[in-house]
Amino acid sequence: MQLSHRITHLTGGGSDGWDVFYRARRMKAEGVPVTELTIGEHDIGTHASILAAMNASAKGGHTGYAMVPGVASLRETVAKRIEEQTGVPTTADNVMITPGGQAALFAAHAATCNAGDTALYLDPYYATYPGTIRGVGAVAKAVQTHAEDAFQPRAADIDAAAEGAVSLLINSPNNPTGVVYSRQTLDGIAEVCKARDLWLISDEVYDTQVWEGEHISPRALPGMAERTLVVGSMSKSHAMTGSRCGWIVGPTEVITHLINLATHTTYGVPGFIQDAADFALNAGDELEAEVAAPFRRRRLLAKDILAGQNTISLVPAQGAMYLMLDVRATGMSGEDFANALLDAHHIAVMPGESFGQAAAGHIRVAMTIADEEFAKALQTLCAFATERANTVAAQ
Ligand SMILES: Cc1ncc(COP(=O)(O)O)c(C=O)c1O
């Protein structure tokens, strides 16, 4: 019996740069005290008030099938939030609640790509992007961004890749680079999307983690609301990664079709989770600021530490919970550096190569451990890089 090509070719196969991560996990399981600066998981849990709301909802009986498009009140809350962010009139009919941002990314591509169509995404990229595109039977085509542009995408590069493509996936604030796209970048992207008749799938799951500049949703840009699908999530903004609650926002016609898709795939999101999300979104900015605060603090700590050395340079860390560090002065690839650091100091980071070709020679550091431990790990990392760079210089 056969397995479908779609499922067996979902990932690219071969080494995907996650070897360091799995090796660190194995070392940990064997009792080695590994400091993990790898995945995007908060070191705090979901806030007690959100859990209380979840509990009250479940105990109150909201444990049966929930409405497939989402609980009415949460859809309205999300619509209001997006309208406030973008100035574009948005109603519950523009919103579908999904099991996390990941399901929304899949739904967005299912809505826009036929089998064999080309869908664009930007390199470096969040690990699931190409597989998500392949998962709907489309062809994933990467457009490189460049370290020398601080990974702000070039409209001309997207335009050059756009012939025959149907969609473009972007992510700002960005994982893995920590870069927030400027208005100029987004204006350029919007112009290409309009000229090339592309859908724009805008992953905004880090919209509450902006340290510098401002988060601009392309839904707000002239002529873009009708061709933009916004992906959002409770995972990062409210430390609710395990609750699996996100959304997709777009034209009502798209949402109507996506409700059909959800009926035949997920059949919705648990009602008590949605009620907790609704509570959390209505709890106001302070709660979001509290969840974001550790990353805001650690980014400043990191900037101070990195200012004390000349080997590693920091890609402008404007948002999200990661730092992208350029380690090319060590003469090593990101993957070699990450492996050597793990061996020498039991510190695990992600090689830039895990996120595509554009971030080769870089590493991604997640700011997801306690401040003191984080600062110590970063100091060790810098000293290690300097030692390596000096060895290369002496050769
Ligand atoms: C850029 C980006 N998009 C989407 C997701 C998926 O988030 P979730 O499915 O937990 O909402 C993540 C998770 O790390 C991410 O980094």
Side-chain angles (χ1 to χ4, degrees):
M1 278 183 300
Q2 72 165 25
L3 285 170
S4 76
H5 185 271
R6 186 176 292 182
I7 210 77
T8 51
H9 288 75
L10 202 68
T11 63
S15 165
D16 56 5
W18 282 73
D19 300 358
V20 187
F21 172 74
Y22 291 117
R23 199 159 75 78
R25 281 283 156 101
R26 277 198 303 277
M27 284 167 71
K28 241 182 145 171
E30 285 158 12
V32 180
V34 175
T35 303
E36 277 202 46
L37 303 171
T38 48
I39 55 171
E41 179 92 60
H42 313 66
D43 50 326
I44 52 166
T46 305
H47 197 275
S49 63
I50 302 176
L51 295 178
M54 200 183 287
N55 192 36
S57 169
K59 284 197 164 154
H62 212 169
T63 52
Y65 290 124
M67 296 294 286
V68 170
V71 168
S73 154
L74 178 59
R75 289 176 82 195
E76 275 158 24
T77 298
V78 171
K80 189 163 154 268
R81 182 183 179 88
I82 299 290
E83 183 169 312
E84 277 168 14
Q85 268 182 3
T86 60
V88 177
T90 307
T91 72
D93 291 336
N94 297 111
V95 178
M96 186 176 81
I97 306 302
T98 60
Q102 181 55 46
L105 286 166
F106 184 85
H109 287 95
T112 53
C113 301
N114 282 313
D117 280 347
T118 296
L120 304 177
Y121 66 105
L122 300 172
D123 178 352
Y125 52 85
Y126 171 53
T128 69
Y129 281 2
T132 303
I133 293 169
R134 291 187 204 111
V136 305
V139 177
K141 183 173 176 184
V143 179
Q144 304 285 308
T145 61
H146 308 273
E148 64 264 33
D149 303 336
F151 297 109
Q152 294 275 343
R154 293 180 192 168
D157 289 351
I158 299 170
D159 188 59
E163 192 64 44
V166 297
S167 64
L168 167 68
L169 170 57
I170 64 169
N171 170 224
S172 176
N174 188 270
N175 176 13
T177 61
V179 166
V180 174
Y181 292 175
S182 67
R183 183 170 289 277
Q184 196 190 357
T185 294
L186 287 164
D187 281 343
I189 288 174
E191 287 318 310
V192 175
C193 288
K194 285 186 276 189
R196 295 288 192 163
D197 202 19
L198 299 178
W199 284 100
L200 182 58
I201 299 168
S202 178
D203 179 344
E204 302 180 24
V205 304
Y206 292 99
D207 65 347
T208 61
Q209 298 180 3
V210 178
W211 325 127
E212 249 175 50
E214 55 168 337
H215 171 66
I216 300 166
S217 171
R219 181 173 166 82
L221 302 180
M224 288 306 289
E226 58 263 41
R227 60 173 68 249
T228 302
L229 302 177
V230 174
V231 169
S233 173
M234 299 302 293
S235 287
K236 312 293 174 173
S237 58
H238 292 82
M240 290 180 71
T241 50
S243 289
R244 313 309 304 135
C245 189
W247 54 82
I248 181 161
V249 175
T252 50
E253 191 193 351
V254 180
I255 299 299
T256 305
H257 289 297
L258 284 179
I259 294 167
N260 283 335
L261 178 70
T263 302
H264 297 88
T265 51
T266 60
Y267 213 77
V269 175
F272 54 93
I273 297 284
Q274 295 194 59
D275 288 344
D278 198 17
F279 165 85
L281 290 173
N282 283 302
D285 296 345
E286 300 82 49
L287 184 52
E288 289 171 20
E290 193 178 324
V291 175
F295 310 122
R296 187 181 286 281
R297 263 195 333 263
R298 290 169 199 158
R299 166 186 172 269
L300 291 178
L301 266 177
K303 281 186 106 171
D304 268 0
I305 293 166
L306 289 160
Q309 53 81 58
N310 297 316
T311 309
I312 292 178
S313 55
L314 172 65
V315 171
Q318 300 162 315
M321 51 174 84
Y322 314 99
L323 305 172
M324 182 62 91
L325 306 180
D326 183 344
V327 296
R328 285 175 289 182
T330 62
M332 300 166 95
S333 68
E335 195 158 0
D336 287 346
F337 184 89
N339 271 308
L341 182 70
L342 182 60
D343 287 332
H345 296 288
H346 302 158
I347 296 171
V349 297
M350 294 298 293
E353 292 84 357
S354 320
F355 310 102
Q357 287 314 302
H362 290 67
I363 54 167
R364 190 194 75 174
V365 172
M367 300 186 280
T368 46
I369 58 171
D371 296 20
E372 210 176 309
E373 204 190 342
F374 174 71
K376 208 168 136 225
L378 207 54
Q379 275 153 353
T380 307
L381 187 156
C382 288
F384 176 74
T386 302
E387 199 183 291
R388 288 289 168 143
N390 290 344
T391 313
V392 171
Q395 277 166 0

